């Protein structure tokens, strides 16, 4: 679900938009994802015999971490580093590849939602399991906002008009 952005405006200058994305999303993902992986590993280990446990979640999260880190490095090097200096539109190829990355990340998020049964907790969920699903729900909201902001606001500023 795409939420209304709580941001000072999608018409913000490109450097301010890039700064917001770096601070609000890139830094947050880098800080929170390792904690979610650790929680997933803990929940899977403690509830190994529970059929309702999110078996395979830690592996899916680790795949997201690898994919997202590579993607953010590409963004930071290919788009963000030059974003403030670019005054005219350039080739859409770098942003096309980044949009494709977003599609792959969406697929991983869908897998995570399936593993967790839509983040529905069973009656016997412990505090760690509850914290894990709350963190995953926030992650999905953050990722949706992040991808929306880049795909619909930032990337078009760097693409050649069709």
């Amino acid at each position: 679900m795409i939420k209304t952005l709580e941001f000072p405006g999608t018409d913000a200058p490109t450097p301010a938009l890039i700064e917001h994305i770096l601070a609000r999303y890139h830094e947050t993902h880098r800080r929170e994802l390792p904690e979610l992986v650790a929680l997933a590993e803990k929940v899977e280990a403690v509830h190994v015999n529970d059929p309702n446990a999110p078996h395979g979640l830690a592996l899916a999260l680790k795949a997201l971490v690898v994919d997202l880190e590579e993607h953010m490095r590409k963004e930071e090097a290919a788009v963000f580093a030059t974003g403030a200096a670019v005054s005219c539109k350039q080739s859409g190829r770098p942003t096309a590849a980044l949009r494709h990355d977003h599609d792959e990340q969406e697929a991983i998020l869908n897998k995570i939602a399936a593993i967790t049964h839509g983040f529905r907790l069973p009656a016997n969920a412990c505090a760690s399991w509850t914290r894990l699903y709350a963190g995953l729900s926030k992650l999905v909201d953050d990722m949706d906002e992040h991808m929306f902001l880049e795909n619909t606001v930032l990337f078009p500023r760097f693409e050649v008009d069709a």
Side-chain angles (χ1 to χ4, degrees), residues 56-117:
L57 179 59
L59 285 175
L61 283 169
K62 288 175 184 177
L64 181 62
V65 168
V66 169
D67 187 76
L68 189 57
E69 185 56 44
E70 180 182 338
H71 169 79
M72 291 187 300
R73 275 196 305 262
K74 285 192 289 187
E75 278 182 341
E76 291 162 2
V79 178
F80 294 2
T82 60
V86 175
S87 60
C88 61
K89 296 191 181 214
Q90 60 186 359
S91 167
R93 279 180 279 170
T95 56
L98 295 171
R99 287 176 193 276
H100 176 72
D101 290 351
H102 287 168
D103 292 341
E104 291 177 357
Q105 292 155 12
E106 188 69 35
I108 296 171
L109 291 174
N110 288 338
K111 180 178 182 177
I112 290 168
I115 290 169
T116 62
H117 308 287

